Amino acid sequence: MRLSAEEAAELLAHGDLIALGRAANAERARRFGDTVTFIVDRNINYTNICVNECRFCAFYTKPGAADGYLLPMEEILEKVGETAASGGTQVMIQGGIHPDLPLSYYENMLRAIRDAYPSIVIHSFTATEILYFAEKEGISVEETLRRLQDAGLASLPGGGAEILVDRVRRLIAPKKIMTEDWLRVMRTAHKIGMASTATMVVGFGETPAERVEHMEHIRRLQEETGGFRAFITWTFQPGNTALGGEKTSSWDYMRTLAITRLYMDNVAHIQGSWVTQGERIGQLTLGFGADDLGSIMLEENVVRAAGTAYNMSIRKMIELIRGAGREPAQRDTRYRVIRRF
């Protein structure tokens, strides 16, 4: 029987952690057996210049700041080439909201990557970036996405969602897009055949009911479009941010992760976060509903800017998954297994 929002909020607030873990793990096993997947890719943060000035972000810098950068196209292509040479299959290009770049800049970037490295899947640009591109160009979100798709964009990451509750969004990122805009971009992407992932960041002081409200937005849109491949939860990293505060506990994270597996019955994959939690908690997520551990991440700068940095390799990832009694497998962007270990 499907969990209601009220039941999920009650379990999130008061449910027994071990019982939740067992239930979520049973659902994971029913769907995927013992297989746990990961991908080899690279995050390319092409610019740190951003007009949004989100209070929870330690990565951005204001336009005109001395530490602002925009990577040359040659360096972006070099990074993609290194990814391909390392056995990577995907790049995730994300950056700040740069006020001076036209849509043609991104089209040219995508075409250059596609032409030079046709085997690399471009899984890039958050809903926040897409909406800004559209508004700056004076065209619709759909036309923006179609133009980027024609240039080589394959799918969208779920970043920029944070908590899909406007009360929280106004507190942590008042200049960023609100809930309905994020959902509209994803709905439009799914409409034109561009799949995506969905994300949630917890630890901003949101209530259990607000976390479930976020999940409900995703569950409803998935019923409508079927376009979400995975749901990924991680925790706010307060270091070096204007928002500050304390990290939420790993137990809170695990409880939330288990609820996402139980509540998101129409989203196939649930990803555990070793990037914000460290490899040992990442390993534990495999007993709390996660069937995927995300990326080896050959490069990552946003979480690192907040003072959190963990290193991973294919060997370590395989050992981590085996250590949890699971069978490791490398996947592609579409979650198809391409190699077992």
Side-chain angles (χ1 to χ4, degrees):
M1 188 172 173
R2 197 176 214 195
L3 269 182
S4 70
E6 294 76 15
E7 289 168 335
E10 176 64 22
L11 287 170
L12 193 51
H14 304 296
D16 179 78
L17 177 63
I18 301 305
L20 285 172
R22 284 181 179 147
N25 186 55
E27 177 61 16
R28 176 209 56 77
R30 184 186 71 79
R31 290 169 177 255
F32 303 107
D34 287 334
T35 298
V36 170
T37 52
F38 65 91
I39 192 168
V40 180
D41 77 348
R42 183 174 197 153
N43 277 22
I44 301 176
N45 303 117
Y46 64 95
T47 184
N48 64 343
I49 297 168
C50 189
V51 299
N52 275 354
E53 301 178 21
C54 297
R55 298 180 64 223
F56 61 83
C57 181
F59 174 71
Y60 84 89
T61 194
K62 295 180 180 180
D67 59 344
Y69 73 82
L70 176 65
L71 293 181
M73 200 66 70
E74 296 76 17
E75 187 172 343
I76 292 173
L77 287 173
E78 183 180 331
K79 288 175 180 288
V80 179
E82 290 170 357
T83 304
S86 300
T89 59
Q90 170 186 288
V91 290
M92 187 184 296
I93 302 165
Q94 295 175 291
I97 303 299
H98 196 299
D100 302 329
L101 302 177
L103 184 59
S104 59
Y105 169 87
Y106 301 98
E107 291 175 290
N108 292 337
M109 178 201 293
L110 292 168
R111 288 194 182 98
I113 294 170
R114 182 184 61 189
D115 292 348
Y117 302 100
S119 65
I120 292 290
V121 174
I122 307 173
H123 172 70
S124 301
F125 306 128
T126 65
T128 308
E129 291 167 278
I130 296 297
L131 186 60
Y132 189 83
F133 300 164
E135 290 176 345
K136 184 174 178 60
E137 201 72 15
I139 60 177
S140 69
V141 167
E142 181 172 343
E143 185 176 349
T144 301
L145 284 166
R146 288 190 184 278
R147 282 174 58 173
L148 293 172
Q149 189 178 45
D150 289 344
L153 182 62
S155 57
L156 296 183
E162 283 78 55
I163 291 290
L164 293 174
V165 177
D166 285 350
R167 181 196 75 80
V168 180
R169 300 182 77 77
R170 290 189 186 100
L171 291 173
I172 65 174
K175 295 184 180 181
K176 205 167 190 177
I177 64 174
M178 291 292 118
T179 299
E180 285 307 315
D181 283 329
W182 190 93
L183 294 168
R184 175 164 61 95
V185 171
M186 289 298 177
R187 181 180 288 109
T188 306
H190 299 169
K191 172 186 171 184
I192 67 169
M194 186 182 289
S196 70
T197 56
T199 63
M200 178 171 67
V201 184
V202 300
F204 295 117
E206 71 287 340
T207 66
E210 285 172 330
R211 290 186 192 178
V212 176
E213 184 178 339
H214 176 112
M215 296 179 216
E216 178 64 15
H217 282 304
I218 302 302
R219 191 164 78 168
R220 285 183 183 176
L221 185 54
Q222 183 73 339
E223 286 180 347
E224 179 186 333
T225 68
F228 290 117
R229 288 174 173 154
F231 190 83
I232 307 154
T233 305
W234 66 88
T235 56
F236 166 51
Q237 304 298 300
N240 304 321
T241 69
L243 191 60
E246 299 295 322
K247 291 184 182 182
T248 192
S249 72
S250 294
W251 299 120
D252 181 41
Y253 169 72
M254 302 288 273
R255 180 189 302 275
T256 304
L257 182 80
I259 292 293
T260 67
R261 176 65 287 167
L262 298 171
Y263 197 76
M264 303 300 222
D265 55 4
N266 56 1
V267 177
H269 301 281
I270 297 294
Q271 182 178 309
S273 175
W274 65 266
V275 179
T276 59
Q277 300 299 307
E279 58 185 66
R280 290 307 166 203
I281 297 298
Q283 186 179 52
L284 280 176
T285 67
L286 303 183
F288 282 76
D291 66 280
D292 183 82
L293 278 181
S295 170
I296 296 297
M297 212 164 279
L298 301 175
E299 177 182 0
E300 195 287 322
N301 298 301
V302 177
V303 173
R304 188 176 295 270
T308 299
Y310 300 105
N311 296 312
M312 186 60 70
S313 66
I314 292 176
R315 179 188 59 79
K316 282 174 69 176
M317 181 68 85
I318 291 169
E319 290 175 355
L320 207 66
I321 294 169
R322 283 184 176 152
R326 307 281 188 265
E327 297 174 0
Q330 184 180 346
R331 65 166 172 87
D332 63 11
T333 306
R334 295 169 65 181
Y335 288 78
R336 298 174 302 190
V337 171
I338 55 179
R339 181 162 55 142
R340 294 184 181 272
F341 301 90

PDB file of all heavy atoms in Angstrom, residues 171-201:
ATOM      1  N   LEU A 171      14.354  31.712   2.211  1.00  0.00           N
ATOM      2  CA  LEU A 171      15.322  31.911   3.281  1.00  0.00           C
ATOM      3  C   LEU A 171      16.751  31.631   2.831  1.00  0.00           C
ATOM      4  O   LEU A 171      17.683  32.331   3.230  1.00  0.00           O
ATOM      5  CB  LEU A 171      14.984  31.005   4.470  1.00  0.00           C
ATOM      6  CG  LEU A 171      13.715  31.341   5.250  1.00  0.00           C
ATOM      7  CD1 LEU A 171      13.439  30.253   6.285  1.00  0.00           C
ATOM      8  CD2 LEU A 171      13.842  32.696   5.931  1.00  0.00           C
ATOM      9  N   ILE A 172      16.934  30.612   2.020  1.00  0.00           N
ATOM     10  CA  ILE A 172      18.298  30.171   1.691  1.00  0.00           C
ATOM     11  C   ILE A 172      18.809  30.698   0.358  1.00  0.00           C
ATOM     12  O   ILE A 172      20.014  30.785   0.150  1.00  0.00           O
ATOM     13  CB  ILE A 172      18.402  28.629   1.713  1.00  0.00           C
ATOM     14  CG1 ILE A 172      17.548  27.997   0.613  1.00  0.00           C
ATOM     15  CG2 ILE A 172      18.031  28.081   3.088  1.00  0.00           C
ATOM     16  CD1 ILE A 172      17.714  26.488   0.485  1.00  0.00           C
ATOM     17  N   ALA A 173      17.901  31.043  -0.559  1.00  0.00           N
ATOM     18  CA  ALA A 173      18.317  31.477  -1.897  1.00  0.00           C
ATOM     19  C   ALA A 173      17.216  32.314  -2.541  1.00  0.00           C
ATOM     20  O   ALA A 173      16.593  31.895  -3.511  1.00  0.00           O
ATOM     21  CB  ALA A 173      18.633  30.258  -2.767  1.00  0.00           C
ATOM     22  N   PRO A 174      16.961  33.516  -2.007  1.00  0.00           N
ATOM     23  CA  PRO A 174      15.829  34.307  -2.500  1.00  0.00           C
ATOM     24  C   PRO A 174      15.929  34.719  -3.968  1.00  0.00           C
ATOM     25  O   PRO A 174      14.908  35.014  -4.592  1.00  0.00           O
ATOM     26  CB  PRO A 174      15.835  35.534  -1.577  1.00  0.00           C
ATOM     27  CG  PRO A 174      17.211  35.586  -0.989  1.00  0.00           C
ATOM     28  CD  PRO A 174      17.671  34.168  -0.888  1.00  0.00           C
ATOM     29  N   LYS A 175      17.142  34.724  -4.533  1.00  0.00           N
ATOM     30  CA  LYS A 175      17.295  35.108  -5.939  1.00  0.00           C
ATOM     31  C   LYS A 175      17.158  33.916  -6.890  1.00  0.00           C
ATOM     32  O   LYS A 175      17.135  34.092  -8.110  1.00  0.00           O
ATOM     33  CB  LYS A 175      18.657  35.766  -6.171  1.00  0.00           C
ATOM     34  CG  LYS A 175      18.843  37.093  -5.454  1.00  0.00           C
ATOM     35  CD  LYS A 175      20.175  37.718  -5.827  1.00  0.00           C
ATOM     36  CE  LYS A 175      20.386  39.056  -5.132  1.00  0.00           C
ATOM     37  NZ  LYS A 175      21.689  39.659  -5.529  1.00  0.00           N
ATOM     38  N   LYS A 176      17.090  32.722  -6.325  1.00  0.00           N
ATOM     39  CA  LYS A 176      17.049  31.518  -7.150  1.00  0.00           C
ATOM     40  C   LYS A 176      15.613  31.204  -7.548  1.00  0.00           C
ATOM     41  O   LYS A 176      14.660  31.736  -6.978  1.00  0.00           O
ATOM     42  CB  LYS A 176      17.648  30.344  -6.364  1.00  0.00           C
ATOM     43  CG  LYS A 176      18.219  29.235  -7.220  1.00  0.00           C
ATOM     44  CD  LYS A 176      19.067  28.301  -6.370  1.00  0.00           C
ATOM     45  CE  LYS A 176      19.848  27.326  -7.251  1.00  0.00           C
ATOM     46  NZ  LYS A 176      20.736  26.469  -6.457  1.00  0.00           N
ATOM     47  N   ILE A 177      15.453  30.334  -8.533  1.00  0.00           N
ATOM     48  CA  ILE A 177      14.119  29.985  -8.995  1.00  0.00           C
ATOM     49  C   ILE A 177      13.325  29.322  -7.877  1.00  0.00           C
ATOM     50  O   ILE A 177      13.874  28.633  -7.023  1.00  0.00           O
ATOM     51  CB  ILE A 177      14.152  29.080 -10.242  1.00  0.00           C
ATOM     52  CG1 ILE A 177      14.804  27.722  -9.956  1.00  0.00           C
ATOM     53  CG2 ILE A 177      14.864  29.778 -11.386  1.00  0.00           C
ATOM     54  CD1 ILE A 177      14.731  26.757 -11.133  1.00  0.00           C
ATOM     55  N   MET A 178      12.016  29.523  -7.909  1.00  0.00           N
ATOM     56  CA  MET A 178      11.140  28.930  -6.919  1.00  0.00           C
ATOM     57  C   MET A 178      10.656  27.558  -7.396  1.00  0.00           C
ATOM     58  O   MET A 178      10.982  27.106  -8.479  1.00  0.00           O
ATOM     59  CB  MET A 178       9.974  29.867  -6.617  1.00  0.00           C
ATOM     60  CG  MET A 178      10.381  31.142  -5.881  1.00  0.00           C
ATOM     61  SD  MET A 178      10.953  30.875  -4.180  1.00  0.00           S
ATOM     62  CE  MET A 178      12.649  31.477  -4.273  1.00  0.00           C
ATOM     63  N   THR A 179       9.864  26.909  -6.576  1.00  0.00           N
ATOM     64  CA  THR A 179       9.478  25.512  -6.783  1.00  0.00           C
ATOM     65  C   THR A 179       8.838  25.265  -8.144  1.00  0.00           C
ATOM     66  O   THR A 179       9.245  24.356  -8.883  1.00  0.00           O
ATOM     67  CB  THR A 179       8.516  25.077  -5.663  1.00  0.00           C
ATOM     68  OG1 THR A 179       9.191  25.181  -4.404  1.00  0.00           O
ATOM     69  CG2 THR A 179       8.035  23.652  -5.878  1.00  0.00           C
ATOM     70  N   GLU A 180       7.832  26.054  -8.498  1.00  0.00           N
ATOM     71  CA  GLU A 180       7.097  25.794  -9.740  1.00  0.00           C
ATOM     72  C   GLU A 180       7.971  25.972 -10.965  1.00  0.00           C
ATOM     73  O   GLU A 180       7.773  25.287 -11.974  1.00  0.00           O
ATOM     74  CB  GLU A 180       5.857  26.682  -9.814  1.00  0.00           C
ATOM     75  CG  GLU A 180       4.726  26.233  -8.905  1.00  0.00           C
ATOM     76  CD  GLU A 180       4.343  24.759  -9.111  1.00  0.00           C
ATOM     77  OE1 GLU A 180       4.224  24.327 -10.282  1.00  0.00           O
ATOM     78  OE2 GLU A 180       4.179  24.042  -8.105  1.00  0.00           O
ATOM     79  N   ASP A 181       8.940  26.890 -10.903  1.00  0.00           N
ATOM     80  CA  ASP A 181       9.849  27.064 -12.036  1.00  0.00           C
ATOM     81  C   ASP A 181      10.736  25.839 -12.218  1.00  0.00           C
ATOM     82  O   ASP A 181      10.980  25.389 -13.343  1.00  0.00           O
ATOM     83  CB  ASP A 181      10.718  28.307 -11.837  1.00  0.00           C
ATOM     84  CG  ASP A 181       9.964  29.593 -12.118  1.00  0.00           C
ATOM     85  OD1 ASP A 181       9.060  29.578 -12.974  1.00  0.00           O
ATOM     86  OD2 ASP A 181      10.281  30.622 -11.492  1.00  0.00           O
ATOM     87  N   TRP A 182      11.245  25.296 -11.108  1.00  0.00           N
ATOM     88  CA  TRP A 182      12.079  24.091 -11.200  1.00  0.00           C
ATOM     89  C   TRP A 182      11.272  22.940 -11.804  1.00  0.00           C
ATOM     90  O   TRP A 182      11.740  22.246 -12.715  1.00  0.00           O
ATOM     91  CB  TRP A 182      12.591  23.710  -9.810  1.00  0.00           C
ATOM     92  CG  TRP A 182      13.638  22.627  -9.819  1.00  0.00           C
ATOM     93  CD1 TRP A 182      14.987  22.787  -9.853  1.00  0.00           C
ATOM     94  CD2 TRP A 182      13.409  21.202  -9.810  1.00  0.00           C
ATOM     95  NE1 TRP A 182      15.619  21.566  -9.859  1.00  0.00           N
ATOM     96  CE2 TRP A 182      14.675  20.571  -9.835  1.00  0.00           C
ATOM     97  CE3 TRP A 182      12.269  20.415  -9.782  1.00  0.00           C
ATOM     98  CZ2 TRP A 182      14.832  19.183  -9.832  1.00  0.00           C
ATOM     99  CZ3 TRP A 182      12.416  19.019  -9.783  1.00  0.00           C
ATOM    100  CH2 TRP A 182      13.680  18.419  -9.800  1.00  0.00           C
ATOM    101  N   LEU A 183      10.064  22.765 -11.326  1.00  0.00           N
ATOM    102  CA  LEU A 183       9.213  21.690 -11.840  1.00  0.00           C
ATOM    103  C   LEU A 183       8.870  21.914 -13.306  1.00  0.00           C
ATOM    104  O   LEU A 183       8.815  20.966 -14.097  1.00  0.00           O
ATOM    105  CB  LEU A 183       7.943  21.592 -11.001  1.00  0.00           C
ATOM    106  CG  LEU A 183       8.136  21.144  -9.541  1.00  0.00           C
ATOM    107  CD1 LEU A 183       6.856  21.362  -8.746  1.00  0.00           C
ATOM    108  CD2 LEU A 183       8.577  19.688  -9.457  1.00  0.00           C
ATOM    109  N   ARG A 184       8.661  23.167 -13.683  1.00  0.00           N
ATOM    110  CA  ARG A 184       8.305  23.481 -15.078  1.00  0.00           C
ATOM    111  C   ARG A 184       9.446  23.126 -16.031  1.00  0.00           C
ATOM    112  O   ARG A 184       9.214  22.580 -17.118  1.00  0.00           O
ATOM    113  CB  ARG A 184       7.964  24.968 -15.184  1.00  0.00           C
ATOM    114  CG  ARG A 184       7.684  25.457 -16.603  1.00  0.00           C
ATOM    115  CD  ARG A 184       6.972  26.808 -16.577  1.00  0.00           C
ATOM    116  NE  ARG A 184       7.768  27.836 -15.938  1.00  0.00           N
ATOM    117  CZ  ARG A 184       8.560  28.688 -16.605  1.00  0.00           C
ATOM    118  NH1 ARG A 184       8.663  28.612 -17.911  1.00  0.00           N
ATOM    119  NH2 ARG A 184       9.237  29.612 -15.955  1.00  0.00           N
ATOM    120  N   VAL A 185      10.677  23.436 -15.628  1.00  0.00           N
ATOM    121  CA  VAL A 185      11.819  23.089 -16.478  1.00  0.00           C
ATOM    122  C   VAL A 185      11.912  21.571 -16.642  1.00  0.00           C
ATOM    123  O   VAL A 185      12.097  21.061 -17.756  1.00  0.00           O
ATOM    124  CB  VAL A 185      13.134  23.654 -15.899  1.00  0.00           C
ATOM    125  CG1 VAL A 185      14.340  23.108 -16.672  1.00  0.00           C
ATOM    126  CG2 VAL A 185      13.127  25.183 -15.956  1.00  0.00           C
ATOM    127  N   MET A 186      11.757  20.835 -15.548  1.00  0.00           N
ATOM    128  CA  MET A 186      11.844  19.380 -15.626  1.00  0.00           C
ATOM    129  C   MET A 186      10.692  18.792 -16.442  1.00  0.00           C
ATOM    130  O   MET A 186      10.896  17.880 -17.260  1.00  0.00           O
ATOM    131  CB  MET A 186      11.853  18.776 -14.217  1.00  0.00           C
ATOM    132  CG  MET A 186      13.133  19.034 -13.463  1.00  0.00           C
ATOM    133  SD  MET A 186      14.569  18.297 -14.301  1.00  0.00           S
ATOM    134  CE  MET A 186      15.901  18.856 -13.238  1.00  0.00           C
ATOM    135  N   ARG A 187       9.508  19.306 -16.250  1.00  0.00           N
ATOM    136  CA  ARG A 187       8.351  18.841 -17.023  1.00  0.00           C
ATOM    137  C   ARG A 187       8.595  19.045 -18.527  1.00  0.00           C
ATOM    138  O   ARG A 187       8.306  18.172 -19.352  1.00  0.00           O
ATOM    139  CB  ARG A 187       7.096  19.589 -16.582  1.00  0.00           C
ATOM    140  CG  ARG A 187       5.828  19.157 -17.332  1.00  0.00           C
ATOM    141  CD  ARG A 187       4.608  19.934 -16.856  1.00  0.00           C
ATOM    142  NE  ARG A 187       4.195  19.525 -15.510  1.00  0.00           N
ATOM    143  CZ  ARG A 187       4.346  20.276 -14.421  1.00  0.00           C
ATOM    144  NH1 ARG A 187       4.899  21.488 -14.502  1.00  0.00           N
ATOM    145  NH2 ARG A 187       3.947  19.820 -13.247  1.00  0.00           N
ATOM    146  N   THR A 188       9.150  20.190 -18.870  1.00  0.00           N
ATOM    147  CA  THR A 188       9.410  20.503 -20.282  1.00  0.00           C
ATOM    148  C   THR A 188      10.500  19.600 -20.842  1.00  0.00           C
ATOM    149  O   THR A 188      10.388  19.111 -21.979  1.00  0.00           O
ATOM    150  CB  THR A 188       9.817  21.979 -20.427  1.00  0.00           C
ATOM    151  OG1 THR A 188       8.819  22.803 -19.818  1.00  0.00           O
ATOM    152  CG2 THR A 188       9.958  22.360 -21.887  1.00  0.00           C
ATOM    153  N   ALA A 189      11.553  19.373 -20.063  1.00  0.00           N
ATOM    154  CA  ALA A 189      12.617  18.471 -20.518  1.00  0.00           C
ATOM    155  C   ALA A 189      12.066  17.075 -20.788  1.00  0.00           C
ATOM    156  O   ALA A 189      12.343  16.465 -21.828  1.00  0.00           O
ATOM    157  CB  ALA A 189      13.728  18.415 -19.471  1.00  0.00           C
ATOM    158  N   HIS A 190      11.262  16.578 -19.866  1.00  0.00           N
ATOM    159  CA  HIS A 190      10.677  15.248 -20.045  1.00  0.00           C
ATOM    160  C   HIS A 190       9.767  15.210 -21.277  1.00  0.00           C
ATOM    161  O   HIS A 190       9.723  14.209 -22.003  1.00  0.00           O
ATOM    162  CB  HIS A 190       9.886  14.849 -18.795  1.00  0.00           C
ATOM    163  CG  HIS A 190      10.720  14.763 -17.559  1.00  0.00           C
ATOM    164  ND1 HIS A 190      10.170  14.631 -16.301  1.00  0.00           N
ATOM    165  CD2 HIS A 190      12.080  14.791 -17.369  1.00  0.00           C
ATOM    166  CE1 HIS A 190      11.136  14.580 -15.405  1.00  0.00           C
ATOM    167  NE2 HIS A 190      12.295  14.690 -16.018  1.00  0.00           N
ATOM    168  N   LYS A 191       9.064  16.294 -21.516  1.00  0.00           N
ATOM    169  CA  LYS A 191       8.148  16.378 -22.665  1.00  0.00           C
ATOM    170  C   LYS A 191       8.879  16.185 -23.985  1.00  0.00           C
ATOM    171  O   LYS A 191       8.340  15.576 -24.919  1.00  0.00           O
ATOM    172  CB  LYS A 191       7.454  17.741 -22.644  1.00  0.00           C
ATOM    173  CG  LYS A 191       6.613  18.044 -23.870  1.00  0.00           C
ATOM    174  CD  LYS A 191       6.092  19.478 -23.834  1.00  0.00           C
ATOM    175  CE  LYS A 191       5.436  19.873 -25.150  1.00  0.00           C
ATOM    176  NZ  LYS A 191       5.009  21.296 -25.145  1.00  0.00           N
ATOM    177  N   ILE A 192      10.116  16.696 -24.085  1.00  0.00           N
ATOM    178  CA  ILE A 192      10.849  16.583 -25.349  1.00  0.00           C
ATOM    179  C   ILE A 192      11.773  15.362 -25.364  1.00  0.00           C
ATOM    180  O   ILE A 192      12.650  15.239 -26.218  1.00  0.00           O
ATOM    181  CB  ILE A 192      11.644  17.863 -25.661  1.00  0.00           C
ATOM    182  CG1 ILE A 192      12.782  18.081 -24.651  1.00  0.00           C
ATOM    183  CG2 ILE A 192      10.724  19.076 -25.703  1.00  0.00           C
ATOM    184  CD1 ILE A 192      13.761  19.180 -25.061  1.00  0.00           C
ATOM    185  N   GLY A 193      11.575  14.465 -24.404  1.00  0.00           N
ATOM    186  CA  GLY A 193      12.333  13.220 -24.397  1.00  0.00           C
ATOM    187  C   GLY A 193      13.674  13.299 -23.711  1.00  0.00           C
ATOM    188  O   GLY A 193      14.531  12.420 -23.903  1.00  0.00           O
ATOM    189  N   MET A 194      13.875  14.325 -22.903  1.00  0.00           N
ATOM    190  CA  MET A 194      15.135  14.486 -22.174  1.00  0.00           C
ATOM    191  C   MET A 194      14.906  14.066 -20.721  1.00  0.00           C
ATOM    192  O   MET A 194      14.204  14.741 -19.978  1.00  0.00           O
ATOM    193  CB  MET A 194      15.607  15.942 -22.249  1.00  0.00           C
ATOM    194  CG  MET A 194      16.976  16.172 -21.649  1.00  0.00           C
ATOM    195  SD  MET A 194      17.474  17.928 -21.711  1.00  0.00           S
ATOM    196  CE  MET A 194      17.774  18.137 -23.467  1.00  0.00           C
ATOM    197  N   ALA A 195      15.478  12.943 -20.326  1.00  0.00           N
ATOM    198  CA  ALA A 195      15.312  12.454 -18.959  1.00  0.00           C
ATOM    199  C   ALA A 195      16.164  13.272 -17.998  1.00  0.00           C
ATOM    200  O   ALA A 195      17.019  14.065 -18.402  1.00  0.00           O
ATOM    201  CB  ALA A 195      15.692  10.982 -18.886  1.00  0.00           C
ATOM    202  N   SER A 196      15.936  13.066 -16.708  1.00  0.00           N
ATOM    203  CA  SER A 196      16.695  13.808 -15.695  1.00  0.00           C
ATOM    204  C   SER A 196      16.766  12.992 -14.418  1.00  0.00           C
ATOM    205  O   SER A 196      16.145  11.935 -14.299  1.00  0.00           O
ATOM    206  CB  SER A 196      16.027  15.160 -15.414  1.00  0.00           C
ATOM    207  OG  SER A 196      14.795  14.964 -14.727  1.00  0.00           O
ATOM    208  N   THR A 197      17.522  13.510 -13.480  1.00  0.00           N
ATOM    209  CA  THR A 197      17.474  13.013 -12.112  1.00  0.00           C
ATOM    210  C   THR A 197      16.775  14.071 -11.262  1.00  0.00           C
ATOM    211  O   THR A 197      16.520  15.181 -11.719  1.00  0.00           O
ATOM    212  CB  THR A 197      18.883  12.736 -11.556  1.00  0.00           C
ATOM    213  OG1 THR A 197      19.680  13.927 -11.661  1.00  0.00           O
ATOM    214  CG2 THR A 197      19.554  11.611 -12.326  1.00  0.00           C
ATOM    215  N   ALA A 198      16.450  13.713 -10.030  1.00  0.00           N
ATOM    216  CA  ALA A 198      15.877  14.661  -9.071  1.00  0.00           C
ATOM    217  C   ALA A 198      16.714  14.605  -7.811  1.00  0.00           C
ATOM    218  O   ALA A 198      17.250  13.547  -7.452  1.00  0.00           O
ATOM    219  CB  ALA A 198      14.425  14.309  -8.761  1.00  0.00           C
ATOM    220  N   THR A 199      16.847  15.747  -7.141  1.00  0.00           N
ATOM    221  CA  THR A 199      17.673  15.801  -5.945  1.00  0.00           C
ATOM    222  C   THR A 199      16.933  16.478  -4.799  1.00  0.00           C
ATOM    223  O   THR A 199      15.951  17.189  -5.004  1.00  0.00           O
ATOM    224  CB  THR A 199      18.983  16.579  -6.199  1.00  0.00           C
ATOM    225  OG1 THR A 199      18.656  17.939  -6.535  1.00  0.00           O
ATOM    226  CG2 THR A 199      19.793  15.958  -7.314  1.00  0.00           C
ATOM    227  N   MET A 200      17.443  16.258  -3.595  1.00  0.00           N
ATOM    228  CA  MET A 200      16.964  16.968  -2.419  1.00  0.00           C
ATOM    229  C   MET A 200      18.151  17.186  -1.482  1.00  0.00           C
ATOM    230  O   MET A 200      18.931  16.266  -1.241  1.00  0.00           O
ATOM    231  CB  MET A 200      15.868  16.172  -1.696  1.00  0.00           C
ATOM    232  CG  MET A 200      15.366  16.836  -0.423  1.00  0.00           C
ATOM    233  SD  MET A 200      13.883  16.040   0.291  1.00  0.00           S
ATOM    234  CE  MET A 200      14.550  14.448   0.800  1.00  0.00           C
ATOM    235  N   VAL A 201      18.286  18.406  -0.996  1.00  0.00           N
ATOM    236  CA  VAL A 201      19.330  18.726  -0.025  1.00  0.00           C
ATOM    237  C   VAL A 201      18.647  18.997   1.309  1.00  0.00           C
ATOM    238  O   VAL A 201      17.742  19.828   1.381  1.00  0.00           O
ATOM    239  CB  VAL A 201      20.152  19.952  -0.459  1.00  0.00           C
ATOM    240  CG1 VAL A 201      21.301  20.192   0.525  1.00  0.00           C
ATOM    241  CG2 VAL A 201      20.701  19.762  -1.869  1.00  0.00           C
TER     242      VAL A 201
END
